[in-house]
Amino acid sequence: MRLIINGGNLKLVALQVLVLLALAFFVVLIKKIKFLKTRIKINPLDLWPPFLIVFIHQLSSNGPHGTLVPEVLVVWFAVALGILIWRIFTDQQMNYRKTLILLWRLSDLLLFIAWLVVMVMSLTWR
């Protein structure tokens, strides 16, 4: 079995990786400024989920079945709902802030994995 890599999507993936790295670098630079260091408590990956959703659409829109964003969002919402229900039943003193941060960090991981899967799929489409 030969792996055929789609050249057009390879350029798009390279551009998307550069955008994600530039975004993370920009957040790190902002956090280095002493004035903003105490006010901004953000992780460089926290800005990635909206970009990853757009990138998933860009990669999958030319695929054989159209965009995969609705499927990714349904999985994302289902996992978030499961985590929320789990937190409701296990945490007696549920804190909204901690729960929302947990859901956002979970979104970082889940959407990054979805982007990697869509990236591999788009590179192997004919």
Side-chain angles (χ1 to χ4, degrees):
M1 181 173 158
R2 280 181 56 188
L3 179 66
I4 300 172
I5 295 181
N6 189 343
N9 284 346
L10 188 60
K11 292 177 185 176
L12 183 60
V13 167
L15 181 65
Q16 290 176 353
V17 169
L18 286 175
V19 167
L20 291 176
L21 291 176
L23 191 63
F25 182 72
F26 179 70
V27 171
V28 169
L29 276 177
I30 288 177
K31 286 179 70 172
K32 294 283 184 190
I33 299 172
K34 192 171 187 171
F35 172 72
L36 298 174
K37 191 174 192 175
T38 59
R39 291 188 171 89
I40 297 179
K41 302 203 185 299
I42 191 168
N43 191 349
L45 301 179
D46 285 342
L47 297 179
W48 282 16
F51 288 92
L52 291 173
I53 292 172
V54 171
F55 292 165
I56 288 170
H57 172 70
Q58 287 176 344
L59 287 173
S60 65
S61 63
N62 295 331
H65 304 292
T67 185
L68 295 174
V69 172
E71 289 85 354
V72 169
L73 291 180
V74 166
V75 170
W76 181 30
F77 293 152
V79 170
L81 187 60
I83 295 292
L84 184 62
I85 291 171
W86 171 70
R87 290 276 298 181
I88 288 171
F89 287 120
T90 60
D91 194 3
Q92 298 298 322
Q93 300 291 326
M94 192 173 111
N95 185 346
Y96 287 118
R97 179 181 169 93
K98 287 182 181 179
T99 303
L100 291 176
I101 289 174
L102 173 69
L103 290 175
W104 192 255
R105 297 290 160 81
L106 177 76
S107 299
D108 291 341
L109 179 65
L110 188 66
L111 288 175
F112 183 73
I113 291 170
W115 176 68
L116 288 176
V117 169
V118 170
M119 178 180 58
V120 169
M121 288 173 54
S122 72
L123 288 176
T124 57
W125 284 331
R126 293 180 187 222

